[in-house]
Amino acid sequence: MLIVHDLAHARAGDKGHSVNVSVTAYDEAGYERLKRELTEARVAAAFAPLADGPVRRYALPGLGAFNFVIERVQGGGVTATGALDIHGKSLSSLMLTIPLPGNEPEG
Amino acid sequence: MAGDRVRIGSGAGFAGDRWEPAVELVERGGIDYIAFECLAERTIARETLALRRGQGSGYNPQLEDRMRAVLPPAATQGVRVLSNMGAADPLAAGRKTAEIAAELGLDDRRCAVLLGDDVRGAVAARPDLPLMETGAPLESILPRMASANAYLGADAVASALETGAPVVVTGRVADPSLFVGPIIHVLGWDYDDYVRLAQATATGHLLECAGQVTGGYFADPGVKDVPGLARLGFPFADVTDAGSVTIGKCDGSGGRIDAATCTEQLLYEVDDPGAYVTPDCVLDMTGIALDEAGPDRVALRGARAQPRTDTHKVSIGYFDGYLGEGLLSYGGPNAVARARLAGEIVAERLRLRGFAYDALDARLIGIDSLHGPGATRPEPYEVRLRVTGRTQDRKAAEAVGFEVAALYTNGPAGGAGDAASVREILAVQSVLLPRHLVTPRVEVVDAG
């Protein structure tokens, strides 16, 4: 099964009590597939052990990219958490593990 | 006198950044200005604390190294230097900079210092302000406040440049504004010209993390490679009076600049891409196009902006207890089970000793320390147990590392390589302060 890593690259940024993860497709076909399958619900499920959510998705078709904002990261955000990755910077890599089953309807 | 173009370089992307790429830009990048962005959210709180305890200068610990490396070629090439390395004490940073310039025998030792970001007094008078992160009133953290700094804008940065001093040192300034300041200063743009401010702000955002737009924090071997990463070059931007923008780097430096690296950086630390709020404007990135304009050259167009808001964001650092940490590694057969048992034993011993924690976690580096528990994680050959305890009680924090180290003779077989630490937690939250309560001012310091 394809994972996001096969179609796109990602970068995470700390926003205090939330984290943003951008996902940039390598090509237009990848962008269209991500648009169908990398839904807010799927991202929220992958991040459930780390963040209460909700998750917001912003589409940037001109850049072939999406920006995901994941709310309420557990532990009180960047400056107060005891987590090893206090900035959530490695969360881009978690985004890249998300499977894309490919059975979503076209369009 | 307004110019018709400016080339501005980026000399640092965080407090502890490298400076060789900045020297390279100054020496052979053909730049007019270089800006060093060295302030993360917590940095000012940390420096405030160090200053108060006599353990630091209050400004960036690498200021001296950076200035010694950069000021001589900057003087030779006529490059003006800006930085927010002033952190918690911009005036002391400015004096130190002037002193270094004198020691180096430079003719013009003046340093313009931008002040007014420290708004501890103004926020203390407004305990009703809601914290942006939690919605709780400011008064809930006011007694523990260490620092309160407003994000100053490009207009304040430009006013410091108007002094003519070759170096400008600031405290808290919005990261993009550190770059927008010289752009509007040189090109003579109206601070209400939002068409141009939009392009300048997007430019500042692309430059503010230095190497993160030239291939740093990007490489994924075999998937997206970065040539010459060890010699990573830092970026510059060419901005014309018409508002055209091209991002580039020194010929022969390592790294890469293309639409992919620029897209990652454009969206870095962005919430709604349609409303990226800075003190200068509310940037709308949704119409931006990044066109590859040659090898390691990307043209940016299509940035739009709404007028600036009537508030300044203020970042408030406050004490929030202690974090105790203990580490111990396990390897070979059944390593994961032994490490898990060790973590359970530490938690039970801390409980038996009567210590309480806001959060006590045992994670295994190699399994679940970064992304939490997952369904299908392969078991690695070796793992490192990491126990952390958050608490308001320093003794309870110290006990975490103590009990992890005590696993040597009192825990499962084969624990090795212990390490322990206790640190004070400096948390940060934000409020919005009405603009009229923030008054930037500039002071020029010189060395005799």
Side-chain angles (χ1 to χ4, degrees):
Chain A
M1 191 188 297
L2 279 184
I3 61 174
V4 176
H5 188 245
D6 296 315
L7 302 177
H9 51 102
R11 177 172 294 179
D14 143 50
K15 295 296 295 171
H17 286 220
S18 62
V19 64
N20 90 298
V21 183
S22 71
V23 176
T24 306
Y26 287 112
D27 56 35
E28 209 171 315
Y31 177 83
E32 289 304 321
R33 177 146 185 190
L34 291 167
K35 188 170 145 190
R36 288 194 303 273
E37 296 189 45
L38 192 59
T39 58
E40 289 172 346
R42 199 159 268 157
V43 172
F47 281 78
L50 300 171
D52 298 334
V55 170
R56 284 175 279 135
R57 182 179 89 163
Y58 298 94
L60 294 125
L63 298 171
F66 299 91
N67 190 40
F68 289 90
V69 180
I70 298 141
E71 300 277 6
R72 292 197 291 171
V73 179
Q74 287 159 16
V78 56
T79 56
T81 176
L84 185 62
D85 177 13
I86 60 168
H87 296 96
K89 285 184 173 275
S90 75
L91 298 183
S92 53
S93 307
L94 177 60
M95 181 69 84
L96 296 177
T97 66
I98 297 177
L100 303 169
N103 54 6
E104 303 284 325
E106 293 287 328
Chain B
M1 188 184 67
D4 60 1
R5 60 163 292 283
V6 63
R7 175 173 286 189
I8 178 162
S10 175
F14 78 111
D17 212 342
R18 309 179 70 241
W19 52 83
E20 289 84 355
V23 173
E24 177 182 57
L25 268 179
V26 172
E27 286 179 341
R28 58 184 194 84
I31 57 174
D32 306 301
Y33 290 79
I34 187 162
F36 295 79
E37 197 294 290
C38 297
L39 277 186
E41 292 282 316
R42 274 185 308 171
T43 317
I44 286 189
R46 194 179 69 211
E47 300 302 340
T48 304
L49 191 63
L51 183 64
R52 189 182 295 177
R53 293 182 178 162
Q55 294 166 340
S57 57
Y59 52 80
N60 184 283
Q62 275 92 41
L63 176 135
E64 200 166 336
D65 287 329
R66 280 205 187 88
M67 291 298 184
R68 284 187 188 282
V70 169
L71 291 185
T76 305
Q77 302 290 334
V79 175
R80 294 178 77 182
V81 176
L82 302 98
S83 181
N84 56 10
M85 278 190 282
D89 197 346
L91 206 49
R95 290 198 187 104
K96 186 71 195 178
T97 301
E99 193 182 298
I100 291 166
E103 275 178 45
L104 293 168
L106 304 180
D107 292 333
D108 191 343
R109 298 96 182 253
R110 287 176 303 153
C111 182
V113 180
L114 178 59
L115 299 163
D117 65 305
D118 185 344
V119 289
R120 276 175 288 188
V123 299
R126 291 293 308 274
D128 57 303
L129 289 172
L131 295 165
M132 291 171 74
E133 289 79 1
T134 59
L138 171 61
E139 63 183 334
S140 61
I141 60 168
L142 215 42
R144 295 174 283 149
M145 181 170 78
S147 61
N149 296 80
Y151 287 80
L152 301 183
D155 55 337
V157 174
S159 71
L161 287 167
E162 277 152 24
T163 63
V167 183
V168 170
V169 167
T170 75
R172 180 66 75 193
V173 166
D175 298 354
S177 305
L178 199 57
F179 299 86
V180 178
I183 293 170
I184 63 175
H185 171 73
V186 173
L187 301 176
W189 288 354
D190 188 320
Y191 192 49
D192 293 326
D193 181 347
Y194 288 104
V195 175
R196 287 181 166 93
L197 271 186
Q199 284 285 98
T201 299
T203 303
H205 182 57
L206 283 179
L207 293 179
E208 72 182 52
C209 293
Q212 274 201 172
V213 76
T214 51
Y217 214 59
F218 187 84
D220 188 359
V223 179
K224 48 175 183 144
D225 291 301
V226 177
L229 187 52
R231 294 174 295 99
L232 183 68
F234 282 176
F236 58 70
D238 287 323
V239 184
T240 70
D241 184 45
S244 83
V245 172
T246 306
I247 309 291
K249 67 184 186 69
C250 286
D251 293 340
S253 64
R256 58 184 260 194
I257 298 182
D258 51 31
T261 68
C262 288
T263 300
E264 276 201 14
Q265 183 53 30
L266 188 68
L267 296 173
Y268 180 67
E269 291 185 341
V270 168
D271 191 296
D272 178 355
Y276 181 72
V277 181
T278 81
D280 307 317
C281 65
V282 180
L283 176 65
D284 177 359
M285 302 179 175
T286 57
I288 287 181
L290 297 163
D291 305 316
E292 292 176 8
D296 293 322
R297 293 291 184 276
V298 168
L300 178 151
R301 61 185 164 83
R304 296 183 295 252
Q306 295 295 313
R308 67 189 68 96
T309 65
D310 57 5
T311 55
H312 275 282
K313 184 178 171 184
V314 174
S315 170
I316 296 175
Y318 62 101
F319 302 106
D320 197 19
Y322 300 90
L323 185 77
E325 178 193 46
L327 299 153
L328 198 64
S329 287
Y330 293 84
N334 219 20
V336 170
R338 282 179 284 130
R340 292 270 187 229
L341 175 59
E344 289 161 16
I345 289 168
V346 169
E348 188 171 348
R349 285 179 179 158
L350 290 169
R351 188 176 55 77
L352 291 172
R353 290 178 65 194
F355 292 119
Y357 300 89
D358 300 327
L360 183 69
D361 285 303
R363 295 291 176 90
L364 301 189
I365 297 174
I367 300 261
D368 59 9
S369 67
L370 291 176
H371 298 161
T376 53
R377 297 274 162 78
E379 206 159 287
Y381 180 80
E382 57 184 55
V383 290
R384 188 152 175 80
L385 170 69
R386 179 174 186 264
V387 185
T388 53
R390 275 193 65 185
T391 167
Q392 302 298 317
D393 174 6
R394 189 174 181 105
K395 284 199 183 316
E398 286 167 353
V400 175
F402 176 89
E403 288 296 351
V404 171
L407 289 167
Y408 268 132
T409 55
N410 302 281
D418 71 304
S421 69
V422 173
R423 64 178 170 82
E424 199 161 26
I425 298 171
L426 281 169
V428 172
Q429 294 202 59
S430 316
V431 296
L432 296 175
L433 194 63
R435 254 176 205 277
H436 70 271
L437 296 177
V438 180
T439 313
R441 62 182 200 281
V442 177
E443 198 166 314
V444 178
V445 295
D446 205 339

